[in-house]
Amino acid sequence: MKRIAVLTSGGDAPGMNAAIRAVVRSGLSRGWEVFGVQHGYAGLVGGEIRNLSARDVGGIIQQGGTMLGSARAPEFKTIEGRTKALRHLHQHDISGLVVIGGNGSQTGAHALSQMGLEVVGVASTIDNDLYGSEMTIGVDTALNIALEAIDRLKNTASSHQRAFLLEVMGRDCGYLALMSGIAGGAESIVIPEVPTEPETIAQELRSAYERGKAHAIVVVAEGAKYNAEALANYFKEHREELGFELRAATLGHIQRGGLPGAFDRILATRFGAAAVAALDRGEHGVLVGLNKGAITTTPYAEVTGKKKPLDLGLLELAKQLDG
Ligand code: ADP
C-alpha cells in the first residue's frame, strides 16, 4: 500500500480545497493512505503531518482558502530545512508528495524532487504566472471578484462623472489586471509587462473625458511601475489634466477570498486526480497543468525559473475597443 501526502503552499487560492479533496479521495480509491501536511512547507519541516480520511475532506469543495493552511517557509529554502522535511516524511513511510501552490512552491517542490522524493505539483495561484499551465487554480474566481468590483465602481463613477483607479493583485504579472480590464471594459489597463508613465494615463483619461464619457476605469496591476497609490499621488498634482475627478481603490486580499466558482472547482478536482494518477504510474518531478484544454504534466526542469508570457495582443484589443 502506497502512502502519500498533500500540502498547500504560498498564496492561498480559491479551489485549493477542491484539489485537496480530489487528491485524498483519488488516493483512498486506490487503497492508499493519504496524509495532510498543515501549513505548507513550514509544517513539513516541523512534522505537522496527519492522516486524512474521506470524511476529513467532506464539505470543503465549496470553501475558499485551504483547510490545510498555508505558509511562507524561509527555512525550506535551505538544504537543512528540506532534509528535516524529508526525515518527517520517511518517519511516516510516505513516498509521494503532492504540492498545491504557485511559482515559489513549485520551485521548492522541484528542489525536493531533486533530493529523491516522488513529488507532483498542482498549479495553483490566482496570479496565473506559473509556466506550464495556461490556467491555474483560483484565477477564474479572482477574476470574477475583480470584475464585480469594476462593475460596481462603474456605477458610482458614472453617477458622478469620475475616474477610478482600481488596483488588482497579480504580483509582477499583469494577467489579472489585463483580463479583468478587458472583461470590465476598462478605459485603461496598466500592467508591469508594459511600463506606463503617468502622463500617458493622464492623456488617456483626458481623451475619454473629451469624448464625453461618463466615467473612466483604470485597472492597475499591483506590480506595475506605478501602482494605484503612486498614480493617485501623481494625479493629485495634475488634477486639471484629467478632466475627471479621480478616486482610487485597492482590491487587495478581498480578491483571494470567497467561494470558488465552477471553473476552479472542476479544474482543481481534475488537477488533484491527475496528480495522484501520475504518482500511480510512477511519473513524478512534474507539474500538473492545463494546456490547450487538456490536463498535462510538464517536467519541473521545464517549468521552474521560467517567465510565463502574457498575450499583449489582448492589451491592443482593449485599446482598440475603448471607443
Ligand atoms: P507561491 O507558491 O504562491 O509563489 P512563495 O513564493 O511565497 O509562494 O513560495 C512559497 C514557499 O515555497 C516559500 O515560503 C518557500 O518555503 C518555498 N520556496 C520558494 N522558493 C523556493 C526556492 N527557490 N527553493 C526552495 N523553496 C522555495
Side-chain angles (χ1 to χ4, degrees), residues 11 49 60 63 65 160 181 189 252 280 315:
I49 301 172
I60 64 167
Q63 288 172 11
H160 298 276
I189 300 168
D280 198 10
L315 189 62

Side-chain angles (χ1 to χ4, degrees), residues 85-109:
L86 280 180
R87 200 177 308 134
H88 287 301
L89 290 171
H90 289 151
Q91 276 164 2
H92 285 84
D93 205 17
I94 292 167
S95 62
L97 177 69
V98 177
V99 173
I100 304 168
N103 245 327
S105 305
Q106 302 306 341
T107 308

Side-chain angles (χ1 to χ4, degrees), residues 41 76 82 86 97 99 105-121 284-287 299-301 304:
Y41 292 133
F76 191 77
R82 292 198 294 279
L86 280 180
L97 177 69
V99 173
S105 305
Q106 302 306 341
T107 308
H110 187 198
L112 210 50
S113 85
Q114 286 170 323
M115 292 170 79
L117 186 72
E118 295 177 18
V119 188
V120 175
H284 47 85
V286 294
L287 177 75
Y300 270 137
T304 50

